[in-house]
Amino acid sequence: MERSAVVIGSLNMDIAVTVDRLPAEGETLQGGGLVEAPGGKGANQAAAIGKLQTPVRMIGKVGADRNGAALLQSLEASGLDTDAVHTSSGQPTGVALVTVDRAGRNHIVVVPGANGELTKDDIDSRADIIEQCDMVVLQLEVPMETVAYALRQAKALGKTTVLNPAPARKLDDELLRHVDFLIPNEHELQTIAGLDQVDEHSVGGAARRFAEKGVGALIVTMGEKGCYYADSSTVKAYPARKVNAVDTTAAGDSFIGGFVAGYLASGNADTAIRLAQLAAAITVTRHGAQSSLPTRQEVEALWQSANE
């Protein structure tokens, strides 16, 4: 039977504007094109896994509005069953306001909306999905108590857990002991680990401290600088594939989707990281969030060329 994942997290409508450069504090700039596109870290990661033809379902919440309907349609187009995405009766669908410059760098502000209503009861109501999957993937765009509860339930059922700690905040020890793979970007790692800089030495030290709290492994994404894998005894650097980046909006989500798909297929973190890097490399060459995520065929083609 094919191994599968469940993503528990956020669904947002991204409203993106392009600018020549990111604004300074208090500065007003003239923007270029304005685009609305399905996003949200949870939905992006679920869509990334689905586009790689790995079985995946999602637990989340949207509003009873056109944005919610568009998000569900996008997930279904990526190969997901959306019956566990609940509808809020009182909150609109979450929105992310995204500013992207010519180099593909971005600023993002998230308005949670219905995401803020995802509760323990929503997790319990679809406990069957968690029981049936192999990996559980979470982020921090839904209430922290819901994230902690879902991680605890997943580990009690013997599932492999992945936490993307974004947006970054301090994580308590009770939550961390239920995390197998902690996958922040370098800025998020600085916040959650209290680091001044991110390099091989500091990543190794952070991984050892996290291991003492129960975390299986730390994977740090650093954009064009590649990524690190670290656990209690090992640190390994992975250089990035050089591409012409135009929009980094969903790069981290694409990486996590690729990692989950690769790990479910191989059971090997090294293989999963290499696949994740290829998925992210394709994503940053396109505009948008879910619209930029690669298909399995595209990643396989790049994998083949990278290994020739």
Side-chain angles (χ1 to χ4, degrees), residues 60-129:
K61 188 165 281 189
V62 295
D65 49 36
R66 67 177 184 87
N67 284 343
L71 286 166
L72 294 178
Q73 184 177 21
S74 179
L75 287 179
E76 289 163 0
S78 298
L80 274 76
D81 182 334
T82 59
D83 67 339
V85 178
H86 306 274
T87 301
S88 168
S89 60
Q91 288 289 333
T93 300
V95 172
L97 307 173
V98 185
T99 305
V100 183
D101 72 6
R102 287 182 178 273
R105 295 180 294 255
N106 62 61
H107 284 165
I108 303 174
V109 177
V110 175
V111 183
N115 294 307
E117 289 190 343
L118 190 69
T119 67
K120 299 176 183 180
D121 290 340
D122 295 312
I123 304 303
D124 287 340
S125 71
R126 297 318 309 263
D128 59 312
I129 295 178

Side-chain angles (χ1 to χ4, degrees), residues 197-218:
Q197 62 181 11
V198 176
D199 55 26
E200 185 170 344
H201 176 74
S202 64
V203 168
R208 288 189 292 274
R209 292 192 295 275
F210 284 130
E212 291 172 357
K213 301 176 187 296
V215 174
L218 174 67

Side-chain angles (χ1 to χ4, degrees), residues 133-146:
C133 79
D134 299 283
M135 293 185 79
V136 178
V137 184
L138 294 112
Q139 323 76 34
L140 302 180
E141 287 186 340
V142 297
M144 185 67 85
E145 58 267 27
T146 306

Side-chain angles (χ1 to χ4, degrees), residues 183-204:
I183 311 182
N185 66 26
E186 58 185 315
H187 308 295
E188 291 154 0
L189 179 64
Q190 287 180 297
T191 297
I192 65 175
L195 301 182
D196 294 326
Q197 62 181 11
V198 176
D199 55 26
E200 185 170 344
H201 176 74
S202 64
V203 168

Side-chain angles (χ1 to χ4, degrees), residues 41 115 147 153 159 290 298:
K41 286 188 173 298
N115 294 307
V147 173
Q153 297 300 100
K159 309 305 176 182
Q290 290 173 35
E298 289 173 322

